[in-house]
């Protein structure tokens, strides 16, 4: 079996919207970034690269959170919490990732986004017609 991968460069986010988030990969990158310490000699290129990877992952998960939150009623508290974390994500992702500290902040952001996504998926309204279908 040939294991080949393609790097997706999609600054407008058009193709990413069609792809599901790769949670296992995201969690692996988050664990790796959080395991780095200032004692390691991490090059500026590595910091920039992992920062871009984490930014892309955060945007994908944030889009999923946004879709799930939009399915909830306006007065639902879970929607409010989702909107707050999405505002935080927008703020953090607007800053350049130039240090190990910022890389780790992005990794923590992805964890927070996945936690919110899990809560929203648990709260998703059940489609009764789909549930009743054999």
């Amino acid at each position: 079996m040939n294991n080949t991968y393609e790097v997706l460069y999609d600054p407008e986010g058009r193709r990413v919207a069609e792809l599901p988030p790769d949670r296992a990969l995201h969690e692996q990158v988050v664990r790796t970034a959080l395991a780095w310490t200032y004692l390691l000699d991490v090059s500026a290129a590595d910091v920039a690269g992992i920062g871009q990877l984490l930014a892309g992952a955060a945007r994908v998960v944030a889009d999923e959170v946004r879709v799930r939150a939009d399915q909830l009623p306006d007065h639902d508290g879970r929607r409010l919490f989702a909107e707050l974390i999405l505002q935080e994500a927008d703020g953090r992702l607007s800053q350049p990732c130039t240090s190990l500290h910022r890389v780790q902040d992005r990794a923590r952001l992805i964890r927070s986004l996945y936690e919110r996504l899990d809560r929203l998926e648990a709260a998703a309204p059940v489609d009764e017609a789909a549930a009743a279908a054999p």
Side-chain angles (χ1 to χ4, degrees), residues 77-104:
R78 294 168 294 198
R79 182 176 182 150
L80 173 66
F81 285 128
E83 290 171 357
L84 290 173
I85 194 157
L86 289 170
Q87 287 176 356
E88 181 180 343
D90 290 342
R92 285 192 195 179
L93 293 173
S94 69
Q95 300 172 0
C97 194
T98 56
S99 69
L100 182 56
H101 176 72
R102 291 237 172 117
V103 164
Q104 291 177 334

Side-chain angles (χ1 to χ4, degrees), residues 18-127:
E18 301 169 5
L19 301 172
D22 186 351
R23 187 171 185 156
L25 174 64
H26 294 169
E27 289 174 343
Q28 181 180 7
V29 173
V30 165
R31 282 191 304 273
T32 301
L34 292 175
W36 281 357
T37 68
Y38 290 96
L39 300 176
L40 293 175
D41 186 24
V42 181
S43 71
D46 287 342
V47 168
I50 196 85
Q52 288 177 342
L53 180 62
L54 290 170
R59 285 185 178 97
V60 168
V61 181
D63 287 345
E64 285 291 315
V65 169
R66 193 169 282 111
V67 166
R68 301 287 184 185
D70 287 344
Q71 295 172 351
L72 296 173
D74 290 340
H75 63 278
D76 193 314
R78 294 168 294 198
R79 182 176 182 150
L80 173 66
F81 285 128
E83 290 171 357
L84 290 173
I85 194 157
L86 289 170
Q87 287 176 356
E88 181 180 343
D90 290 342
R92 285 192 195 179
L93 293 173
S94 69
Q95 300 172 0
C97 194
T98 56
S99 69
L100 182 56
H101 176 72
R102 291 237 172 117
V103 164
Q104 291 177 334
D105 276 349
R106 285 189 180 176
R108 288 183 197 95
L109 173 64
I110 292 171
R111 278 190 173 169
S112 296
L113 286 165
Y114 269 118
E115 287 173 8
R116 183 55 41 199
L117 181 60
D118 290 344
R119 289 183 179 140
L120 291 172
E121 286 178 344
V126 176
D127 183 2

Side-chain angles (χ1 to χ4, degrees), residues 5-11 13-19 56 60:
Y5 301 93
E6 292 184 33
V7 175
L8 178 65
Y9 178 72
D10 184 22
R14 292 183 184 139
R15 295 199 53 206
V16 171
E18 301 169 5
L19 301 172
V60 168

